[in-house]
Amino acid sequence: MKVNKILPFDSELLDITISLRQLEEISKEISLRGQVNGLNEVVWALKALTLTDLTTLAGDDTEANVRRLCHRAAYPFPLHLLDSAIDPNLHKQIHTGAVCVYPARVADARNCFEQLKCFEDVPIAAVATGFPTGQYGLKTRLEEITYAIESGAREIDIVINRQLALTEQWKKLYDEVCEMRNTCGDRAHLKTILAIGELGSMENVYKASMVCMMAGADFIKTSTGKESVNATIPVGLVMIWAIQEFLRKTGQVVGLKPAGGVRTVREAITWMTLVKETLGMKWLQPALFRFGASGLLDDIEKVVRKGLTGEEVKGGAVAAY
């Protein structure tokens, strides 16, 4: 597993001036270009599936619903649905990018995947460090990372302490994320959740992105999904600018994860178009791009079923179309 290394803190990387008007104009243009239909939509839907971290982060999560989540992640469609359009040799690759659960539910996910014999195929991600607020002592947050990894998580989605960003304590935020990177080591990928809806400005989104990347993040992630504002195209563009500048200055490649608010294939295609036209096709792979979503798979199933068979899913049942 390749993980990013910690780089020295460099305050010059935080300098930026962002035009909101420019952001809106570029976002609107890309949204219009990301419109596809027919079999092309099915292809994009299947691509989105492989890039999705299928997520359950509810207070009433149980072993039973985590098992259902894992079954759906590993086998999102009946095999006969894919037979007519996809080489059977590729069926094993039709699964989500990961499942994402609370640390206490990681062992449940691991047991299920081991029974399904796909533990090595579908990574388990765990939110940690006092998700979703981050308002816990650092020692406790680091212990939570260790617990999740020892339970079977191969990806850790940490949440940054927003008060450090809002009070511009960037070096302290960097130091905290470095501790989290060191705790993950080479045992787990580190995804850093910025909670962009609580950072106050696009400039803070850019600076928090840079700080997390300097501290060794493998991904920067928009949101916990619990804020009033989650993944938006303008915010994604700012984070992409940060990724591009960081790559230019350091040669280090960092992934992007929009989370919260991506519910339809059309929305997912807009994001994939944004990534393709800015970062390039290289990023449209699970190692560098993910959606954090709980409901996106429902729409993916509708699009794929309708495109391949003419059937339409209504209210959980399949109806002839």
Side-chain angles (χ1 to χ4, degrees), residues 4 10 14 16 31 43 46 61 67 72 99-100 109 124 133 144 179 197 230 239 301 303:
N4 281 349
D10 183 355
L14 306 185
I16 189 171
S31 296
V43 171
L46 290 172
D61 281 342
R67 287 184 65 86
R72 198 172 184 208
V99 296
C100 185
I124 300 169
T133 66
E144 192 174 33
E179 292 269 16
N230 295 291
M239 294 171 70
E301 182 182 1
V303 168

Side-chain angles (χ1 to χ4, degrees), residues 1 12 26 39 47 73 110 172 201-202 215 233-234 236 246 255 291 294:
M1 177 185 293
E12 291 185 3
I26 296 173
L39 284 178
K47 183 66 173 178
R110 177 173 188 160
K172 188 170 182 180
S201 70
M202 289 294 190
I233 295 298
F246 190 73
F291 296 107
S294 57

Side-chain angles (χ1 to χ4, degrees), residues 183-198:
T183 302
C184 288
D186 60 2
R187 300 178 298 168
H189 276 103
L190 177 67
K191 305 195 202 94
T192 53
I193 309 172
L194 307 184
I196 56 89
E198 297 177 352

Side-chain angles (χ1 to χ4, degrees), residues 7-277:
L7 301 177
F9 181 79
D10 183 355
S11 59
E12 291 185 3
L13 284 177
L14 306 185
D15 292 337
I16 189 171
T17 301
I18 295 173
S19 166
L20 295 179
R21 181 177 178 181
Q22 183 185 23
L23 278 177
E24 293 294 342
E25 289 175 350
I26 296 173
S27 300
K28 183 178 179 180
E29 182 181 346
I30 288 176
S31 296
L32 292 173
R33 289 205 296 271
Q35 297 180 3
V36 298
N37 294 289
L39 284 178
N40 280 335
E41 189 175 19
V42 173
V43 171
W44 280 99
L46 290 172
K47 183 66 173 178
L49 168 74
T50 67
L51 300 172
T52 296
D53 286 2
L54 189 61
T55 302
T56 181
L57 297 171
D60 59 354
D61 281 342
T62 63
E63 179 182 0
N65 69 302
V66 169
R67 287 184 65 86
R68 285 194 295 272
L69 185 87
C70 292
H71 273 274
R72 198 172 184 208
Y75 302 107
F77 309 111
L79 290 181
H80 72 268
L81 181 65
L82 303 175
D83 283 341
S84 62
I86 297 175
D87 186 331
N89 294 323
L90 299 177
H91 285 180
K92 190 174 175 59
Q93 299 177 30
I94 306 298
H95 56 72
T96 66
V99 296
C100 185
V101 296
Y102 279 112
R105 301 269 68 87
V106 168
D108 296 335
R110 177 173 188 160
N111 290 338
C112 183
F113 281 147
E114 287 178 341
Q115 290 172 6
L116 294 174
K117 301 188 185 322
C118 62
F119 177 64
E120 297 299 325
D121 301 319
V122 187
I124 300 169
V127 295
T129 67
F131 180 93
T133 66
Q135 296 285 357
Y136 294 83
L138 181 59
K139 181 175 182 290
T140 300
R141 286 181 280 158
L142 297 178
E143 288 172 348
E144 192 174 33
I145 292 173
T146 299
Y147 171 71
I149 293 174
E150 290 177 349
S151 297
R154 287 190 283 156
E155 301 177 359
I156 300 295
D157 291 32
I158 66 99
V159 57
I160 69 168
N161 185 338
R162 272 83 87 195
Q163 78 149 346
L164 296 180
L166 292 169
T167 55
E168 299 186 357
Q169 298 183 68
W170 299 114
K171 178 59 166 61
K172 188 170 182 180
L173 176 60
Y174 165 83
D175 290 339
E176 282 199 354
V177 179
C178 285
E179 292 269 16
M180 296 167 189
R181 168 77 277 168
N182 285 328
T183 302
C184 288
D186 60 2
R187 300 178 298 168
H189 276 103
L190 177 67
K191 305 195 202 94
T192 53
I193 309 172
L194 307 184
I196 56 89
E198 297 177 352
L199 289 185
S201 70
M202 289 294 190
E203 284 79 9
N204 278 349
V205 170
Y206 184 90
K207 292 175 181 179
S209 298
M210 276 295 186
V211 167
C212 290
M213 291 188 290
M214 282 187 275
D218 298 298
F219 272 75
I220 50 175
K221 176 179 172 181
T222 61
S223 319
T224 67
K226 309 293 186 182
E227 297 89 52
S228 59
V229 178
N230 295 291
T232 68
I233 295 298
V235 160
L237 191 55
V238 170
M239 294 171 70
I240 285 169
W241 286 346
I243 289 171
Q244 289 173 318
E245 182 65 6
F246 190 73
L247 175 62
R248 189 176 72 84
K249 291 285 185 66
T250 70
Q252 195 150 287
V253 175
V254 178
L256 175 68
K257 181 177 174 178
V262 184
R263 298 183 179 90
T264 69
V265 170
R266 295 296 175 91
E267 291 168 342
I269 291 172
T270 298
W271 275 96
M272 290 187 285
T273 301
L274 173 68
V275 169
K276 182 185 70 164
E277 296 193 4

